[in-house]
Short mmCIF file of all heavy atoms in Angstrom, two decimals:
data_model
loop_
_atom_site.label_atom_id
_atom_site.label_comp_id
_atom_site.label_asym_id
_atom_site.label_seq_id
_atom_site.Cartn_x
_atom_site.Cartn_y
_atom_site.Cartn_z
N MET A 1442 6.60 23.89 -17.20
CA MET A 1442 6.03 23.45 -15.91
C MET A 1442 6.97 23.94 -14.86
O MET A 1442 8.19 23.67 -14.89
CB MET A 1442 5.86 21.96 -15.89
CG MET A 1442 5.26 21.45 -14.63
SD MET A 1442 4.75 19.72 -14.50
CE MET A 1442 5.27 18.88 -15.89
N GLY A 1443 6.42 24.68 -13.87
CA GLY A 1443 7.26 25.22 -12.77
C GLY A 1443 7.58 24.15 -11.73
O GLY A 1443 7.07 23.03 -11.73
N GLY A 1444 8.54 24.53 -10.88
CA GLY A 1444 9.02 23.60 -9.85
C GLY A 1444 7.91 23.16 -8.87
O GLY A 1444 7.79 21.99 -8.53
N ILE A 1445 7.05 24.14 -8.44
CA ILE A 1445 6.02 23.77 -7.46
C ILE A 1445 4.97 22.89 -8.12
O ILE A 1445 4.50 21.91 -7.50
CB ILE A 1445 5.33 25.09 -6.97
CG1 ILE A 1445 6.34 25.93 -6.20
CG2 ILE A 1445 4.12 24.80 -6.11
CD1 ILE A 1445 6.86 25.33 -4.92
N GLU A 1446 4.62 23.16 -9.35
CA GLU A 1446 3.64 22.30 -10.04
C GLU A 1446 4.14 20.88 -10.25
O GLU A 1446 3.47 19.93 -10.09
CB GLU A 1446 3.30 22.96 -11.43
CG GLU A 1446 2.16 22.24 -12.09
CD GLU A 1446 1.74 23.01 -13.37
OE1 GLU A 1446 1.98 24.21 -13.46
OE2 GLU A 1446 1.20 22.34 -14.26
N ARG A 1447 5.45 20.79 -10.56
CA ARG A 1447 6.08 19.44 -10.69
C ARG A 1447 6.04 18.66 -9.37
O ARG A 1447 5.74 17.50 -9.34
CB ARG A 1447 7.50 19.63 -11.17
CG ARG A 1447 8.17 18.25 -11.40
CD ARG A 1447 9.52 18.45 -12.00
NE ARG A 1447 9.42 19.12 -13.28
CZ ARG A 1447 10.43 19.56 -13.99
NH1 ARG A 1447 11.67 19.42 -13.52
NH2 ARG A 1447 10.27 20.13 -15.15
N LEU A 1448 6.30 19.39 -8.30
CA LEU A 1448 6.28 18.75 -6.95
C LEU A 1448 4.88 18.29 -6.60
O LEU A 1448 4.65 17.25 -5.97
CB LEU A 1448 6.78 19.69 -5.88
CG LEU A 1448 8.30 19.95 -5.87
CD1 LEU A 1448 8.63 20.98 -4.79
CD2 LEU A 1448 9.03 18.68 -5.62
N ARG A 1449 3.87 19.05 -7.04
CA ARG A 1449 2.50 18.67 -6.75
C ARG A 1449 2.17 17.35 -7.47
O ARG A 1449 1.59 16.42 -6.93
CB ARG A 1449 1.53 19.74 -7.24
CG ARG A 1449 0.06 19.40 -6.98
CD ARG A 1449 -0.86 20.47 -7.46
NE ARG A 1449 -0.44 21.80 -7.10
CZ ARG A 1449 -0.68 22.90 -7.79
NH1 ARG A 1449 -1.29 22.84 -8.93
NH2 ARG A 1449 -0.26 24.09 -7.35
N TYR A 1450 2.53 17.26 -8.75
CA TYR A 1450 2.29 16.01 -9.51
C TYR A 1450 3.10 14.81 -8.93
O TYR A 1450 2.61 13.69 -8.88
CB TYR A 1450 2.58 16.17 -10.96
CG TYR A 1450 1.57 17.07 -11.64
CD1 TYR A 1450 1.95 18.20 -12.31
CD2 TYR A 1450 0.20 16.73 -11.64
CE1 TYR A 1450 1.01 19.02 -12.92
CE2 TYR A 1450 -0.74 17.52 -12.25
CZ TYR A 1450 -0.32 18.68 -12.87
OH TYR A 1450 -1.31 19.45 -13.47
N LEU A 1451 4.32 15.08 -8.51
CA LEU A 1451 5.13 14.00 -7.93
C LEU A 1451 4.48 13.51 -6.62
O LEU A 1451 4.56 12.30 -6.32
CB LEU A 1451 6.54 14.47 -7.66
CG LEU A 1451 7.41 14.61 -8.93
CD1 LEU A 1451 8.79 15.17 -8.54
CD2 LEU A 1451 7.59 13.27 -9.59
N GLY A 1452 3.92 14.42 -5.83
CA GLY A 1452 3.23 14.01 -4.61
C GLY A 1452 2.04 13.11 -4.91
O GLY A 1452 1.82 12.14 -4.18
N ILE A 1453 1.26 13.47 -5.89
CA ILE A 1453 0.09 12.68 -6.27
C ILE A 1453 0.53 11.31 -6.77
O ILE A 1453 0.00 10.27 -6.38
CB ILE A 1453 -0.73 13.45 -7.32
CG1 ILE A 1453 -1.39 14.69 -6.74
CG2 ILE A 1453 -1.79 12.47 -7.94
CD1 ILE A 1453 -2.02 15.60 -7.69
N ILE A 1454 1.57 11.29 -7.58
CA ILE A 1454 2.08 10.02 -8.12
C ILE A 1454 2.62 9.14 -6.98
O ILE A 1454 2.39 7.94 -6.96
CB ILE A 1454 3.15 10.30 -9.20
CG1 ILE A 1454 2.47 10.86 -10.42
CG2 ILE A 1454 3.96 9.03 -9.51
CD1 ILE A 1454 3.49 11.41 -11.45
N ALA A 1455 3.32 9.74 -6.02
CA ALA A 1455 3.88 9.01 -4.91
C ALA A 1455 2.74 8.38 -4.08
O ALA A 1455 2.86 7.20 -3.61
CB ALA A 1455 4.72 9.91 -4.02
N GLY A 1456 1.63 9.10 -3.87
CA GLY A 1456 0.47 8.54 -3.14
C GLY A 1456 -0.12 7.39 -3.89
O GLY A 1456 -0.50 6.37 -3.29
N LEU A 1457 -0.23 7.51 -5.17
CA LEU A 1457 -0.80 6.42 -6.00
C LEU A 1457 0.10 5.15 -5.96
O LEU A 1457 -0.37 4.03 -5.84
CB LEU A 1457 -1.01 6.85 -7.45
CG LEU A 1457 -2.14 7.87 -7.66
CD1 LEU A 1457 -2.09 8.35 -9.10
CD2 LEU A 1457 -3.47 7.27 -7.30
N VAL A 1458 1.43 5.38 -6.07
CA VAL A 1458 2.36 4.27 -5.99
C VAL A 1458 2.26 3.57 -4.62
O VAL A 1458 2.27 2.35 -4.58
CB VAL A 1458 3.79 4.76 -6.30
CG1 VAL A 1458 4.80 3.69 -5.91
CG2 VAL A 1458 3.94 5.18 -7.75
N TYR A 1459 2.14 4.35 -3.55
CA TYR A 1459 2.01 3.78 -2.24
C TYR A 1459 0.81 2.86 -2.18
O TYR A 1459 0.86 1.71 -1.72
CB TYR A 1459 1.92 4.86 -1.17
CG TYR A 1459 1.49 4.34 0.16
CD1 TYR A 1459 2.38 3.72 0.98
CD2 TYR A 1459 0.19 4.47 0.60
CE1 TYR A 1459 2.01 3.23 2.23
CE2 TYR A 1459 -0.22 3.99 1.83
CZ TYR A 1459 0.68 3.37 2.63
OH TYR A 1459 0.31 2.85 3.83
N TRP A 1460 -0.36 3.38 -2.58
CA TRP A 1460 -1.56 2.55 -2.49
C TRP A 1460 -1.55 1.37 -3.43
O TRP A 1460 -2.13 0.33 -3.14
CB TRP A 1460 -2.83 3.41 -2.71
CG TRP A 1460 -3.10 4.21 -1.47
CD1 TRP A 1460 -2.95 5.53 -1.33
CD2 TRP A 1460 -3.51 3.69 -0.20
NE1 TRP A 1460 -3.25 5.91 -0.06
CE2 TRP A 1460 -3.61 4.82 0.66
CE3 TRP A 1460 -3.85 2.43 0.26
CZ2 TRP A 1460 -4.04 4.66 2.01
CZ3 TRP A 1460 -4.20 2.29 1.62
CH2 TRP A 1460 -4.28 3.42 2.43
N LEU A 1461 -0.88 1.48 -4.57
CA LEU A 1461 -0.72 0.30 -5.43
C LEU A 1461 0.08 -0.78 -4.76
O LEU A 1461 -0.23 -1.96 -4.86
CB LEU A 1461 -0.05 0.69 -6.76
CG LEU A 1461 -0.94 1.50 -7.72
CD1 LEU A 1461 -0.12 1.99 -8.93
CD2 LEU A 1461 -2.10 0.60 -8.21
N PHE A 1462 1.19 -0.44 -4.08
CA PHE A 1462 1.96 -1.41 -3.37
C PHE A 1462 1.22 -2.01 -2.15
O PHE A 1462 1.36 -3.18 -1.90
CB PHE A 1462 3.30 -0.84 -2.92
CG PHE A 1462 4.36 -0.93 -3.93
CD1 PHE A 1462 4.71 0.20 -4.74
CD2 PHE A 1462 5.03 -2.11 -4.12
CE1 PHE A 1462 5.65 0.09 -5.71
CE2 PHE A 1462 6.02 -2.20 -5.10
CZ PHE A 1462 6.34 -1.10 -5.91
N VAL A 1463 0.39 -1.20 -1.50
CA VAL A 1463 -0.40 -1.73 -0.40
C VAL A 1463 -1.42 -2.75 -0.96
O VAL A 1463 -1.59 -3.84 -0.43
CB VAL A 1463 -1.17 -0.59 0.37
CG1 VAL A 1463 -2.22 -1.19 1.27
CG2 VAL A 1463 -0.17 0.19 1.20
N ALA A 1464 -2.08 -2.39 -2.05
CA ALA A 1464 -3.04 -3.34 -2.67
C ALA A 1464 -2.32 -4.61 -3.14
O ALA A 1464 -2.83 -5.71 -2.96
CB ALA A 1464 -3.72 -2.67 -3.85
N TRP A 1465 -1.15 -4.47 -3.71
CA TRP A 1465 -0.40 -5.67 -4.15
C TRP A 1465 -0.03 -6.55 -2.94
O TRP A 1465 -0.16 -7.78 -3.01
CB TRP A 1465 0.88 -5.22 -4.92
CG TRP A 1465 1.76 -6.33 -5.31
CD1 TRP A 1465 1.59 -7.22 -6.31
CD2 TRP A 1465 2.95 -6.75 -4.63
NE1 TRP A 1465 2.62 -8.08 -6.35
CE2 TRP A 1465 3.49 -7.83 -5.33
CE3 TRP A 1465 3.64 -6.23 -3.58
CZ2 TRP A 1465 4.64 -8.47 -4.93
CZ3 TRP A 1465 4.82 -6.86 -3.16
CH2 TRP A 1465 5.30 -7.96 -3.86
N SER A 1466 0.42 -5.91 -1.86
CA SER A 1466 0.80 -6.63 -0.70
C SER A 1466 -0.41 -7.38 -0.08
O SER A 1466 -0.29 -8.52 0.37
CB SER A 1466 1.43 -5.69 0.30
OG SER A 1466 1.87 -6.39 1.44
N ILE A 1467 -1.56 -6.71 -0.05
CA ILE A 1467 -2.78 -7.38 0.46
C ILE A 1467 -3.13 -8.56 -0.39
O ILE A 1467 -3.52 -9.60 0.10
CB ILE A 1467 -3.91 -6.35 0.54
CG1 ILE A 1467 -3.64 -5.35 1.71
CG2 ILE A 1467 -5.25 -7.05 0.79
CD1 ILE A 1467 -4.60 -4.19 1.76
N SER A 1468 -2.99 -8.41 -1.71
CA SER A 1468 -3.34 -9.52 -2.60
C SER A 1468 -2.41 -10.70 -2.49
O SER A 1468 -2.79 -11.83 -2.67
CB SER A 1468 -3.40 -9.02 -4.04
OG SER A 1468 -2.07 -8.82 -4.53
N ARG A 1469 -1.16 -10.46 -2.07
CA ARG A 1469 -0.17 -11.54 -1.86
C ARG A 1469 -0.33 -12.20 -0.53
O ARG A 1469 0.23 -13.29 -0.33
CB ARG A 1469 1.23 -10.94 -2.04
CG ARG A 1469 1.54 -10.28 -3.34
CD ARG A 1469 1.71 -11.26 -4.45
NE ARG A 1469 2.91 -12.03 -4.14
CZ ARG A 1469 3.25 -13.13 -4.82
NH1 ARG A 1469 2.53 -13.55 -5.79
NH2 ARG A 1469 4.31 -13.81 -4.47
N ASN A 1470 -0.95 -11.57 0.44
CA ASN A 1470 -1.12 -12.11 1.78
C ASN A 1470 -2.59 -12.41 2.02
O ASN A 1470 -3.33 -11.57 2.47
CB ASN A 1470 -0.59 -11.13 2.85
CG ASN A 1470 0.91 -10.94 2.72
OD1 ASN A 1470 1.67 -11.86 2.95
ND2 ASN A 1470 1.30 -9.74 2.33
N ARG A 1471 -3.00 -13.65 1.74
CA ARG A 1471 -4.41 -14.02 1.81
C ARG A 1471 -5.00 -13.94 3.21
O ARG A 1471 -6.18 -13.77 3.37
CB ARG A 1471 -4.63 -15.42 1.24
CG ARG A 1471 -4.23 -15.55 -0.22
CD ARG A 1471 -5.20 -14.82 -1.08
NE ARG A 1471 -4.80 -14.92 -2.44
CZ ARG A 1471 -5.24 -14.15 -3.35
NH1 ARG A 1471 -6.14 -13.26 -3.07
NH2 ARG A 1471 -4.81 -14.22 -4.59
N TRP A 1472 -4.17 -14.02 4.24
CA TRP A 1472 -4.61 -13.99 5.63
C TRP A 1472 -5.07 -12.60 6.05
O TRP A 1472 -5.77 -12.44 6.99
CB TRP A 1472 -3.54 -14.49 6.59
CG TRP A 1472 -2.26 -13.71 6.46
CD1 TRP A 1472 -1.21 -14.05 5.67
CD2 TRP A 1472 -1.92 -12.50 7.05
NE1 TRP A 1472 -0.22 -13.10 5.75
CE2 TRP A 1472 -0.66 -12.13 6.65
CE3 TRP A 1472 -2.62 -11.67 7.96
CZ2 TRP A 1472 -0.01 -10.96 7.07
CZ3 TRP A 1472 -1.98 -10.51 8.37
CH2 TRP A 1472 -0.70 -10.16 7.90
N PHE A 1473 -4.63 -11.60 5.32
CA PHE A 1473 -4.86 -10.21 5.72
C PHE A 1473 -6.29 -9.79 5.41
O PHE A 1473 -6.83 -10.04 4.37
CB PHE A 1473 -3.93 -9.27 5.01
CG PHE A 1473 -4.05 -7.80 5.42
CD1 PHE A 1473 -3.44 -7.38 6.54
CD2 PHE A 1473 -4.80 -6.93 4.64
CE1 PHE A 1473 -3.56 -6.07 6.95
CE2 PHE A 1473 -4.94 -5.62 5.06
CZ PHE A 1473 -4.32 -5.17 6.21
N SER A 1474 -6.91 -9.14 6.45
CA SER A 1474 -8.25 -8.58 6.29
C SER A 1474 -8.15 -7.08 6.51
O SER A 1474 -7.68 -6.65 7.56
CB SER A 1474 -9.24 -9.20 7.28
OG SER A 1474 -10.45 -8.48 7.25
N PHE A 1475 -8.60 -6.31 5.52
CA PHE A 1475 -8.49 -4.85 5.63
C PHE A 1475 -9.37 -4.32 6.80
O PHE A 1475 -9.03 -3.30 7.38
CB PHE A 1475 -8.99 -4.24 4.33
CG PHE A 1475 -8.66 -2.75 4.19
CD1 PHE A 1475 -7.39 -2.39 3.86
CD2 PHE A 1475 -9.61 -1.81 4.36
CE1 PHE A 1475 -7.02 -1.04 3.74
CE2 PHE A 1475 -9.34 -0.48 4.27
CZ PHE A 1475 -8.02 -0.11 3.92
N PHE A 1476 -10.38 -5.05 7.19
CA PHE A 1476 -11.28 -4.61 8.24
C PHE A 1476 -10.88 -5.14 9.62
O PHE A 1476 -11.32 -4.58 10.62
CB PHE A 1476 -12.72 -5.05 7.92
CG PHE A 1476 -13.23 -4.41 6.68
CD1 PHE A 1476 -13.34 -5.19 5.52
CD2 PHE A 1476 -13.53 -3.08 6.57
CE1 PHE A 1476 -13.78 -4.63 4.33
CE2 PHE A 1476 -14.00 -2.50 5.41
CZ PHE A 1476 -14.11 -3.26 4.28
N GLN A 1477 -10.03 -6.14 9.72
CA GLN A 1477 -9.64 -6.72 11.03
C GLN A 1477 -8.20 -6.47 11.37
O GLN A 1477 -7.80 -6.61 12.51
CB GLN A 1477 -9.91 -8.23 10.99
CG GLN A 1477 -11.38 -8.56 10.88
CD GLN A 1477 -11.57 -10.09 10.83
OE1 GLN A 1477 -10.63 -10.87 10.74
NE2 GLN A 1477 -12.81 -10.49 10.84
N ASN A 1478 -7.36 -6.10 10.42
CA ASN A 1478 -5.91 -5.90 10.68
C ASN A 1478 -5.54 -4.47 10.42
O ASN A 1478 -6.14 -3.78 9.62
CB ASN A 1478 -5.07 -6.85 9.80
CG ASN A 1478 -5.38 -8.29 10.02
OD1 ASN A 1478 -6.01 -8.94 9.16
ND2 ASN A 1478 -5.01 -8.83 11.13
N ALA A 1479 -4.44 -4.05 11.07
CA ALA A 1479 -3.81 -2.77 10.73
C ALA A 1479 -2.88 -2.97 9.54
O ALA A 1479 -2.40 -4.10 9.30
CB ALA A 1479 -3.05 -2.25 11.95
N LEU A 1480 -2.65 -1.90 8.81
CA LEU A 1480 -1.73 -2.02 7.67
C LEU A 1480 -0.35 -2.41 8.09
O LEU A 1480 0.35 -3.09 7.34
CB LEU A 1480 -1.68 -0.69 6.88
CG LEU A 1480 -2.91 -0.33 6.08
CD1 LEU A 1480 -2.71 1.00 5.44
CD2 LEU A 1480 -3.24 -1.40 5.06
N SER A 1481 0.06 -2.15 9.34
CA SER A 1481 1.35 -2.55 9.77
C SER A 1481 1.48 -4.05 9.95
O SER A 1481 2.58 -4.58 9.99
CB SER A 1481 1.70 -1.87 11.15
OG SER A 1481 0.77 -2.23 12.13
N ASN A 1482 0.41 -4.77 10.01
CA ASN A 1482 0.41 -6.23 10.09
C ASN A 1482 0.90 -6.87 8.79
O ASN A 1482 1.28 -8.06 8.78
CB ASN A 1482 -0.93 -6.81 10.41
CG ASN A 1482 -1.38 -6.54 11.84
OD1 ASN A 1482 -0.53 -6.11 12.64
ND2 ASN A 1482 -2.61 -6.76 12.16
N LEU A 1483 0.93 -6.14 7.69
CA LEU A 1483 1.37 -6.71 6.41
C LEU A 1483 2.85 -7.08 6.46
O LEU A 1483 3.30 -7.96 5.71
CB LEU A 1483 1.14 -5.70 5.27
CG LEU A 1483 -0.29 -5.60 4.81
CD1 LEU A 1483 -0.46 -4.45 3.84
CD2 LEU A 1483 -0.75 -6.93 4.19
N GLY A 1484 3.63 -6.45 7.32
CA GLY A 1484 5.04 -6.74 7.40
C GLY A 1484 5.42 -7.70 8.52
O GLY A 1484 6.58 -7.89 8.82
N ASP A 1485 4.46 -8.30 9.13
CA ASP A 1485 4.70 -9.25 10.26
C ASP A 1485 5.13 -10.59 9.75
O ASP A 1485 4.31 -11.31 9.18
CB ASP A 1485 3.43 -9.33 11.13
CG ASP A 1485 3.67 -10.12 12.41
OD1 ASP A 1485 4.82 -10.56 12.63
OD2 ASP A 1485 2.65 -10.32 13.12
N PRO A 1486 6.37 -11.02 9.99
CA PRO A 1486 6.81 -12.30 9.44
C PRO A 1486 6.06 -13.50 10.10
O PRO A 1486 5.94 -14.53 9.51
CB PRO A 1486 8.29 -12.37 9.77
CG PRO A 1486 8.60 -11.11 10.52
CD PRO A 1486 7.44 -10.30 10.61
N ALA A 1487 5.61 -13.34 11.31
CA ALA A 1487 4.83 -14.47 11.98
C ALA A 1487 3.50 -14.66 11.25
O ALA A 1487 3.03 -15.81 11.18
CB ALA A 1487 4.61 -14.08 13.41
N LYS A 1488 2.93 -13.66 10.73
CA LYS A 1488 1.65 -13.82 10.00
C LYS A 1488 1.82 -14.29 8.56
O LYS A 1488 0.94 -14.80 7.93
CB LYS A 1488 0.93 -12.47 9.95
CG LYS A 1488 0.48 -11.98 11.30
CD LYS A 1488 -0.83 -12.59 11.62
CE LYS A 1488 -1.42 -11.96 12.89
NZ LYS A 1488 -2.70 -12.38 13.18
N ALA A 1489 3.05 -14.17 8.05
CA ALA A 1489 3.32 -14.54 6.60
C ALA A 1489 3.06 -15.98 6.32
O ALA A 1489 2.67 -16.30 5.22
CB ALA A 1489 4.74 -14.15 6.26
N SER A 1490 3.20 -16.83 7.33
CA SER A 1490 2.99 -18.25 7.07
C SER A 1490 1.60 -18.73 7.47
O SER A 1490 1.28 -19.87 7.32
CB SER A 1490 4.02 -19.09 7.86
OG SER A 1490 3.87 -18.84 9.22
N SER A 1491 0.75 -17.80 7.89
CA SER A 1491 -0.61 -18.16 8.27
C SER A 1491 -1.46 -18.42 7.03
O SER A 1491 -1.18 -17.91 5.94
CB SER A 1491 -1.25 -17.02 9.00
OG SER A 1491 -0.60 -16.79 10.23
N PRO A 1492 -2.49 -19.32 7.13
CA PRO A 1492 -3.29 -19.62 5.96
C PRO A 1492 -4.12 -18.45 5.48
O PRO A 1492 -4.50 -17.63 6.13
CB PRO A 1492 -4.16 -20.76 6.44
CG PRO A 1492 -4.01 -20.86 7.91
CD PRO A 1492 -2.82 -20.08 8.30
#
């Protein structure tokens, strides 16, 4: 496997890992709505204690 091909697979894997962590974070924060909030709201400590 060449270097460029390896980088291509690593890029795909990195994208999948990112979306898995986003999905995990959404599942841990019940207040978050994918349709009403921006993804940057997942790191807002003020929202973390919301119901």
